[in-house]
Amino acid sequence: MDYISGEDFFKVDMRVGEIVEASEVEGSEKLIKMMVDFGELGIKTVFSGIKKHYQPEQLMGKKTVFVVNVTPKKVMGQESEAMIVGADDDEGAMSLLLMEKEMKNGARVY
């Protein structure tokens, strides 16, 4: 395990985002394209390789955690502006981190 300082951890800007649109990406077996509402930060495009675990219709309206200060990356010719946070195990299962209580879009995650 590589350790980071608390100072480094707090550089990661994690926010609650509501998935307002989700669709399969033509030509990809792994990717789902999402439009995510981050409140005051606006709506951002996010691509994620979670299609094996989730279908687009399962994601609609879900609020989960995203890292919003990653460098944007070109994916299938479009820009992905954030990274979704999830957990996986050694057996191939994957789960998004869903909000237990109602949180406003864009709320900080610590």
Side-chain angles (χ1 to χ4, degrees):
M1 175 182 333
D2 292 331
Y3 291 95
I4 63 170
S5 69
E7 185 176 296
D8 286 339
F9 175 78
F10 287 111
K11 290 178 185 176
V12 179
D13 190 356
M14 292 184 286
R15 302 289 180 122
V16 173
E18 180 178 1
I19 301 168
V20 295
E21 290 180 34
S23 59
E24 293 185 14
V25 176
E26 189 174 322
S28 174
E29 294 180 11
K30 297 179 181 180
L31 292 174
I32 291 180
K33 177 183 177 182
M34 297 169 279
M35 302 303 293
V36 184
D37 184 351
F38 291 103
E40 292 179 4
L41 297 177
I43 295 177
K44 296 183 180 287
T45 304
V46 180
F47 286 85
S48 184
I50 61 173
K51 189 172 166 184
K52 177 180 173 184
H53 306 283
Y54 292 93
Q55 294 303 307
E57 57 274 7
Q58 293 175 289
L59 299 169
M60 296 292 297
K62 299 282 193 233
K63 289 190 179 190
T64 188
V65 178
F66 295 83
V67 177
V68 296
N69 65 337
V70 295
T71 303
K73 180 180 178 182
K74 287 279 187 187
V75 177
M76 303 293 283
Q78 299 180 57
E79 198 167 84
S80 185
E81 303 173 281
M83 184 179 292
I84 199 165
V85 176
D88 66 7
D89 64 17
D90 294 335
E91 298 170 10
M94 191 265 180
S95 179
L96 298 178
L97 307 178
L98 300 176
M99 298 294 98
E100 175 186 53
K101 296 181 181 178
E102 180 62 30
M103 300 296 295
K104 73 176 188 171
N105 296 349
R108 294 259 342 208
V109 177
Y110 300 96

